[in-house]
Structure formats: structure tokens, C-alpha cells
Amino acid sequence: MTLGRAKRQRSLWDDLNRFCEATLGQDSVYALLQRERERLFPDEFFADLFAERGRRSVPPSVVATVMVLQRLEGCSDREAVERYSFDARWRYASGVGGYGGGGRERFAHTVLVDMRERLRRSARPDRVFEVVLEAARAAGLVGRRRVLDSTPLYDAVATMDTVTLIRSALRGLLQVAGTARAAELRGVLRSGDDYASAAKPQIDWDDPAARAALVDSRAQDAYACLALLEDRELAPPLAEAAALLATVVGQDLEASEGRFRIARRVARDRVISTVDPEARHGHKTAARSFDGYKGHVAIDPNSEIITATAVTPGNAGDASVAEALIADLLQDDGSEDDAADVTDPDPEPGDAALAGAHPADAVTDETEQADSAGEDRVVYGDNAYGTGAFHAHLEEAGIVSRCKTQRPTAPGGMLAKDRFQVDLDGGIVTCPAGVAAAIRERHGGGGGARFGDACLTCPLRATCTSAAGGRTITIHPHEATLARARARQAARAWCDDYRATRPKVERKQGHLMRRQHGGRRARVRGTLRVDGDFRLLAAATNLARLAVLKLQWMPAGRWAIA
């Protein structure tokens, strides 16, 4: 399929265009897309996705506009095509005008599926998000402060119990094994289950013995199949299916008295579905759990523009992707001027895309650049980001940390760690009773101080520890960094800045989830696809924000806001 091109000349007599121009405000995202669509998403910007010969595609600028509006309004693919066909605002934003074209602008919902897949396989899968962010940056809307946070994204599949997981993994193994090998695998099955149906076997589920026999028999089938395939050269699909089966039986089962039973524990990285093996159990708080993924965002607190996103399995820590979210800050040390010379004061739409650049790369106002360069680089985050490693990383990069660090706690209201004096230079810890204990270093950093027998006769024992061996104070590998962070956040100015800035990311996440089709439910499966879909949602949200700020292309050849 070759690149299709949209019509760039609008009809002066199109009733739909005249109606929308008279009724839509300039802060409408539809007006922004109609006005700047050819500069943001020119057809040439997607030329690498298509072949040089073949049937002409639907113009990519039109499809990109529909994709953005789809994520902005939370539509499914079929709903998005219906909106494009019958909603005057969508047609106005896409530049196709009224219905005088004889229906040549119509397309099926599968075009959206194809476009997402082409983007995913390309060298720049996130180009829609990138170009919108470049326009915001060129307009001077992206400073040097970032606020980080995460939000749950529920998986698009049902969470499976142990029996369903094992049977589903076995069914998947038999389906990809091929006729000859599948017959060989079925020859070692002894449970009597043909694994043809996804439904659970019919047993008396109120009978513990029947349930135990069911688990053991299906586990025996799984291990028999894995034993048969051991040390054999397998095709990639069969190897992946065998690895998934091994993971499932290894995480949920344990051997006891010659039989397999469900383990009385939860595996650390438990697979919860064979349909989406990358989804995980997650906890947003100690009392709030979910199944699926986490969507991570970084925003500029002044303009509320989303500067970076990431998606991880639900059990990943927030700080695990923090460095990726502030990658632009790490690269910006303020030593160089990011402004570029404008060579063409009035470039034609698509010229920058053909040259390998983009109109959004244009220079911003020199005053705005100077103000941005003079602003301190600051990162804000809640307790999840206040880890010793992340604090140390920010210090090394010269970035001010406004990431909150949790204060030490102790069970039962006993004396917390902050009541002890930790002298890292002297290598000792002094307890509230005045007893000193030496710090014993551990391999890999950190260490611990044990007070041992000194606690037996201590008058503060009842309020300090109930351990028979006495109180132990653990020394973190980044203990000094964490101590400095806790000291900083005790200052009034620090607290005022944090409380005034940090909540802005919560509002932005509310905007994202309000526009998410199906609430927080992920629309696709797998970390890679969920990540791409979440970033497209962020691009759509940024465009809506830029519309409110009245982004426009100036005659001088640069982006600016009214």
C-alpha cells in the first residue's frame, strides 16, 4: 500500500466548514487540529510506513487525527469511525469537510488497527506523542521541573485461578505443537482431560478430596509434557508455550506427600493469565490492589504538559522507571542553548517531514529559552519515588529533589529508627538509652547494628523491642542520602513548594483516565502495546491542553501561544 495524500485546498462554499468556524471556539481541540493538522501530522511524516507502489492508503494525516480524537473521547475503533462519518466536528478537524465528496473519505475501522500496527513496527512508534511534545516545547511550555506519579491500568482479560491457569497453558501448548508432536504429548496425559474446552472440569467443588485430586492430576499432566520436551530443540512458539507452562506450575504448586497441591503462598512475580502473561498483581496502596499494569507519567507543573510516559507490569515499583521519565532533564544540564536557527520563515506543510525533521523543531522565543535555562531542575514525587537510589541519582545529576521520603516506623508504636543517633563516619549507632553499638558492614553496601544483651536490662526495652535477641538497626546502602532527604523535607519552604506543586499530577491523571475507553481498563494486551496506547492517550491529552492555551503557528516560522 502506497502513501495517500489529503486534499489541502478547502472549499470556500462548504457548509460544514463554515458552520464549525462560526460555532467552535479557538480553544477547541477540533479548531486546533483543523488549523494546524498539516503542520503537526503531514502525510509525508508517515511516508516510511508505506511502500512505493500499490493501492493508495487513506491519508495518514486524516487517520492520525481520528486516532487522536478517538483517544481523547474514549471511543472504540467502530465508534471512532462512526464519529468521523457523522460528527461535523470530527470531519472539520480531519479536513474532509462536508459530504460532497461522494463518500471517498470513508474507511473501515480496520484502518485504525492497521495504522497502529504499522506505527508499532516502525522506527518511531511514538511519533505522534513526540511531535505534539516538540510543538509544546518549541512554544516555551516545557520548563525544567517535573512531577512524577503512576496510576493503575486494569488488564483486558480475566484473572485466572490455578486450575484454569494450568489447563489454559496445557491447551496452548497442544495448539502450537503441531499434529505429530501434539499426538506425542497427548500420549503422556493421564488425567482423562482432552483439554479441548476452556471450561473447568465437572467435579464436586465442595469436596476437598475432589479438588485436591483435580489439582494433582492436572499438575501430573503438565510435568509429564515438560519432561517429554526436555532437552529437545523446539520451534519458538512451542518453546514459549512450554516456558509459560513451566512458569505456571512452578509458581502455584508444591509437592507434599507424593502429590501436588496449591502452594499456601503467592509467588513474587506471579503470572495471572495465560492470555496476557505480562499482566501482574499490583498494589497502589496497602489496602488497594489491582490486576494489570501501571501507567507512569511526568508532567511540567506550570503548563501541565505531559513530558514522558511509561507502562510497567502492575507489581513494578514507581521508582523503577523514574530515570526514564526524567531523561530529558538528565540530558539538559543548562550548558547549551537548545535554540536552532530558522532557515525558512514560512515553510510549506510537510517540508520538514521530507527533510527528516518536523515543523515542531522550530526555534522558540529567545527570552523564553533564557528563562528556561535559568530555572533549577526539580523533580517532585511521593514516597514511592523517595528511594535512596533515586535521591542519589538526582544528586549526582545536580537535580533538586522534591521527592518525599517516608519517615522510619516501628510496629506497635515502639521507638522508630529516627530516635537512634546514626554516626556513619564513626561507624556506631547510639540508642535513646545511651548505649552504642558498632555498625557491621554488609557485602554490597549498608549494614546493621545489634544491641543484643544490652537490651535485656534496658529500662526502655518495653517501648523499643520485643525481640529476644535485642534491637537491631538496619543501615541502608544510601543511609546518608536518605538522612539528607528527610532533613530537607522538614523545612517549611520545602513543604509549601511540595504541597503547591505535587497535586497537579493527580489532576492530570484524572484527565487521562476520564478519557480512557472503558475507564481504567487497558484496551490491548501486553506491555508493549499498552505502553503505545497509553502514550497516544497522553498525546491526545496534550493536544487538548495546547488547544486551551491556543497554540498556533506564527508567520515568523515558530510555534507560540496566544
Side-chain angles (χ1 to χ4, degrees):
M1 184 174 290
T2 188
L3 179 69
R5 298 179 186 273
K7 294 181 180 179
R8 289 178 177 171
Q9 186 171 1
R10 297 169 52 199
S11 172
L12 297 176
W13 312 108
D14 193 305
D15 291 339
L16 185 145
N17 286 335
R18 288 189 295 172
F19 171 75
C20 290
E21 287 174 357
T23 55
L24 289 175
Q26 290 303 304
D27 60 349
S28 166
V29 68
Y30 309 102
L32 172 64
L33 286 169
Q34 196 283 330
R35 185 176 65 247
E36 310 294 355
R37 182 190 65 258
E38 285 297 330
R39 296 194 185 279
L40 290 170
F41 313 127
D43 293 322
E44 296 82 2
F45 192 48
F46 302 92
D48 60 301
L49 305 182
F50 299 92
E52 295 183 359
R53 300 180 60 184
R55 181 169 57 89
R56 284 198 175 275
S57 69
V58 179
S61 60
V62 174
V63 180
T65 302
V66 172
M67 290 172 62
V68 167
L69 292 176
Q70 175 190 14
R71 297 306 289 118
L72 195 63
E73 300 190 13
C75 301
S76 66
D77 289 343
R78 294 181 185 273
E79 291 170 342
V81 173
E82 288 183 1
R83 296 276 184 93
Y84 166 77
S85 300
F86 301 108
D87 192 315
R89 298 170 302 176
W90 282 51
R91 297 187 67 82
Y92 178 68
S94 302
V96 297
Y99 301 94
R104 287 176 297 178
E105 303 90 356
R106 298 178 185 175
F107 58 85
H109 70 279
T110 53
V111 171
L112 298 174
V113 180
D114 177 70
M115 187 64 167
R116 287 195 297 267
E117 189 62 20
R118 288 175 184 268
L119 284 170
R120 189 182 67 82
R121 296 196 305 260
S122 71
R124 291 185 63 188
D126 303 319
R127 67 186 71 188
V128 175
F129 174 81
E130 292 168 358
V131 76
V132 175
L133 180 60
E134 287 167 3
R137 194 183 300 277
L141 295 173
V142 180
R144 307 178 73 194
R145 297 195 299 163
R146 298 291 180 269
V147 189
L148 314 181
D149 203 6
S150 69
T151 188
L153 299 174
Y154 306 143
D155 58 8
V157 298
T159 302
M160 298 179 176
D161 57 42
T162 300
V163 173
T164 305
L165 275 172
I166 296 174
R167 294 191 70 256
S168 179
L170 277 167
R171 290 175 66 241
L173 182 71
L174 295 171
Q175 288 172 357
V176 300
T179 304
R181 185 154 285 175
E184 190 178 1
L185 289 170
R186 290 186 181 279
V188 300
L189 302 179
R190 296 291 180 266
S191 66
D193 192 339
D194 60 2
Y195 298 98
S197 171
K200 286 185 178 180
Q202 297 297 318
I203 66 168
D204 183 3
W205 290 96
D206 294 328
D207 184 1
R211 295 199 305 269
L214 174 66
V215 172
D216 179 67
S217 62
R218 273 44 176 191
Q220 296 285 0
D221 283 353
Y223 279 111
C225 290
L226 292 174
L228 180 66
L229 297 176
E230 188 176 3
D231 296 330
R232 293 193 181 187
E233 185 176 349
L234 307 176
L238 183 57
E240 292 175 6
L244 179 59
L245 177 60
T247 300
V248 167
V249 296
Q251 70 182 10
D252 283 358
L253 300 178
E254 61 184 8
S256 177
E257 299 177 356
R259 303 188 69 181
F260 290 102
R261 68 178 186 182
I262 298 176
R264 300 295 186 264
R265 54 173 171 74
V266 177
R268 181 179 181 83
D269 195 35
R270 184 176 184 269
V271 174
I272 62 176
S273 172
T274 58
V275 180
D276 189 358
E278 296 178 16
R280 292 292 186 271
H281 291 304
H283 286 272
K284 185 58 180 174
T285 65
R288 180 184 171 194
S289 62
F290 65 95
D291 293 333
Y293 300 88
K294 277 185 181 179
H296 307 260
V297 297
I299 72 165
D300 180 279
N302 293 336
S303 62
E304 297 189 10
I305 294 294
I306 300 171
T307 60
T309 68
V311 168
T312 62
N315 61 347
D318 289 0
S320 64
V321 294
E323 293 182 22
L325 293 176
I326 61 169
D328 57 337
L329 286 186
L330 297 175
Q331 296 170 359
D332 174 25
D333 59 4
S335 60
E336 297 180 0
D337 187 0
D338 294 333
D341 293 333
V342 178
T343 58
D344 186 355
D346 190 15
E348 290 294 325
D351 285 352
L354 288 171
H358 197 276
D361 295 323
V363 61
T364 64
D365 186 82
E366 293 181 1
T367 303
E368 292 169 343
Q369 288 286 348
D371 291 343
S372 177
E375 182 184 15
D376 288 336
R377 292 178 295 167
V378 188
V379 174
Y380 300 79
D382 59 18
N383 286 327
Y385 299 94
T387 64
F390 190 50
H391 277 306
H393 186 75
L394 294 177
E395 287 184 359
E396 292 173 3
I399 298 175
V400 178
S401 176
R402 290 286 190 275
C403 296
K404 195 173 183 180
T405 303
Q406 189 170 0
R407 299 186 65 84
T409 59
M414 293 188 175
L415 297 177
K417 179 181 175 180
D418 57 359
R419 297 290 300 276
F420 291 71
Q421 296 180 7
V422 180
D423 182 3
L424 295 177
D425 295 332
I428 60 172
V429 176
T430 305
C431 76
V435 178
I439 297 176
R440 296 184 179 181
E441 296 183 359
R442 295 174 182 169
H443 180 70
R450 294 193 60 180
F451 290 88
D453 295 340
C455 295
L456 297 178
T457 58
C458 180
L460 300 179
R461 176 180 175 84
T463 60
C464 184
T465 182
S466 59
R471 182 70 181 264
T472 300
I473 298 298
T474 301
I475 305 301
H476 194 275
H478 297 283
E479 186 70 33
T481 303
L482 291 172
R484 289 193 297 270
R486 293 190 180 105
R488 287 194 302 267
Q489 70 187 37
R492 180 64 179 272
W494 193 101
C495 294
D496 291 344
D497 185 29
Y498 180 86
R499 291 169 182 167
T501 307
R502 167 64 178 68
K504 294 181 179 180
V505 73
E506 302 284 355
R507 180 169 63 249
K508 183 55 62 175
Q509 286 184 344
H511 294 167
L512 285 169
M513 293 302 102
R514 185 178 70 242
R515 289 160 178 155
Q516 174 85 350
H517 178 67
R520 294 182 178 273
R521 182 72 62 182
R523 307 192 313 159
V524 289
R525 299 194 296 263
T527 305
L528 186 62
R529 285 181 169 83
V530 176
D531 181 63
D533 192 60
F534 189 68
R535 195 163 287 118
L536 181 60
L537 175 62
T541 305
N542 277 347
L543 265 178
R545 178 61 178 164
L546 292 175
V548 173
L549 298 174
K550 298 181 181 178
L551 177 78
Q552 54 189 334
W553 182 259
M554 303 298 290
R558 63 183 180 90
W559 291 106
I561 58 173

Coordinates of all heavy atoms in Angstrom, one line a residue, residues 140 144 334 336-339 364-376:
G140 N 7.6 27.1 24.2 CA 8.1 27.6 25.6 C 7.3 27.1 26.7 O 7.3 27.7 27.8
R144 N 11.8 23.2 33.3 CA 12.8 22.2 33.9 C 12.4 21.7 35.2 O 13.2 21.3 36.0 CB 14.2 23.0 34.0 CG 14.6 23.6 32.7 CD 15.9 24.4 32.9 NE 17.1 23.5 33.0 CZ 18.3 23.8 33.4 NH1 18.4 25.1 33.9 NH2 19.3 23.0 33.5
G334 N 21.8 22.6 31.1 CA 21.8 24.1 31.0 C 23.0 24.7 30.4 O 23.1 26.0 30.4
E336 N 24.1 24.4 27.2 CA 24.0 24.7 25.8 C 22.6 25.3 25.5 O 21.6 25.0 26.2 CB 24.2 23.4 25.0 CG 25.5 22.8 25.1 CD 25.7 21.6 24.2 OE1 24.7 21.2 23.6 OE2 26.7 21.0 24.2
D337 N 22.6 26.1 24.5 CA 21.3 26.7 24.1 C 20.6 25.8 23.1 O 21.2 25.4 22.1 CB 21.6 28.1 23.4 CG 20.3 28.8 23.1 OD1 19.2 28.2 23.4 OD2 20.3 29.9 22.6
D338 N 19.4 25.3 23.4 CA 18.7 24.4 22.6 C 18.1 25.0 21.3 O 17.6 24.3 20.5 CB 17.6 23.6 23.3 CG 18.2 22.8 24.4 OD1 19.4 22.4 24.3 OD2 17.5 22.6 25.4
A339 N 18.2 26.3 21.2 CA 17.5 27.0 20.1 C 18.3 26.7 18.8 O 19.5 26.6 18.8 CB 17.5 28.5 20.4
T364 N 12.1 28.7 19.5 CA 11.2 29.4 20.3 C 11.8 30.8 20.6 O 12.9 31.1 20.2 CB 11.0 28.7 21.7 OG1 12.2 28.6 22.4 CG2 10.5 27.3 21.4
D365 N 11.0 31.6 21.3 CA 11.5 32.9 21.7 C 12.7 32.9 22.5 O 12.8 32.1 23.5 CB 10.3 33.7 22.4 CG 10.7 35.1 22.7 OD1 10.5 35.9 21.8 OD2 11.1 35.4 23.8
E366 N 13.7 33.7 22.3 CA 15.0 33.7 23.0 C 14.8 34.0 24.5 O 15.5 33.5 25.3 CB 15.9 34.7 22.4 CG 16.4 34.4 20.9 CD 17.3 35.4 20.4 OE1 17.7 36.3 21.1 OE2 17.8 35.2 19.2
T367 N 13.8 34.9 24.8 CA 13.6 35.2 26.2 C 13.1 34.0 26.9 O 13.5 33.7 28.1 CB 12.6 36.3 26.3 OG1 13.1 37.4 25.6 CG2 12.4 36.7 27.8
E368 N 12.2 33.2 26.3 CA 11.7 32.0 26.9 C 12.8 31.0 27.1 O 12.8 30.3 28.1 CB 10.5 31.4 26.1 CG 9.3 32.3 26.0 CD 8.3 31.9 25.0 OE1 8.7 31.1 24.1 OE2 7.1 32.3 25.1
Q369 N 13.7 30.9 26.1 CA 14.8 29.9 26.3 C 15.7 30.3 27.4 O 16.1 29.5 28.2 CB 15.6 29.9 25.0 CG 14.9 29.2 23.8 CD 14.9 27.7 24.0 OE1 15.6 27.2 24.8 NE2 14.1 27.1 23.2
A370 N 15.9 31.6 27.6 CA 16.8 32.1 28.7 C 16.1 31.8 30.0 O 16.8 31.4 31.0 CB 17.1 33.5 28.5
D371 N 14.8 32.1 30.2 CA 14.1 31.8 31.4 C 14.2 30.3 31.8 O 14.4 29.9 32.9 CB 12.7 32.3 31.3 CG 12.6 33.8 31.2 OD1 13.6 34.4 31.6 OD2 11.5 34.3 30.8
S372 N 14.0 29.4 30.7 CA 14.0 28.0 31.0 C 15.4 27.6 31.4 O 15.5 26.7 32.3 CB 13.6 27.3 29.7 OG 13.7 25.9 29.9
A373 N 16.4 28.1 30.8 CA 17.8 27.7 31.1 C 18.2 28.2 32.5 O 19.0 27.5 33.2 CB 18.8 28.3 30.1
G374 N 17.6 29.3 33.0 CA 17.9 29.8 34.3 C 17.1 29.1 35.5 O 17.4 29.3 36.6
E375 N 16.1 28.3 35.1 CA 15.3 27.6 36.1 C 16.0 26.4 36.6 O 16.6 25.6 35.9 CB 13.9 27.3 35.5 CG 13.0 26.6 36.5 CD 11.7 26.2 35.8 OE1 11.7 26.1 34.5 OE2 10.7 25.9 36.5
D376 N 15.9 26.2 38.0 CA 16.5 25.0 38.5 C 15.8 23.7 38.0 O 14.6 23.8 37.9 CB 16.5 25.0 40.0 CG 17.5 26.0 40.6 OD1 18.4 26.3 39.9 OD2 17.2 26.5 41.7

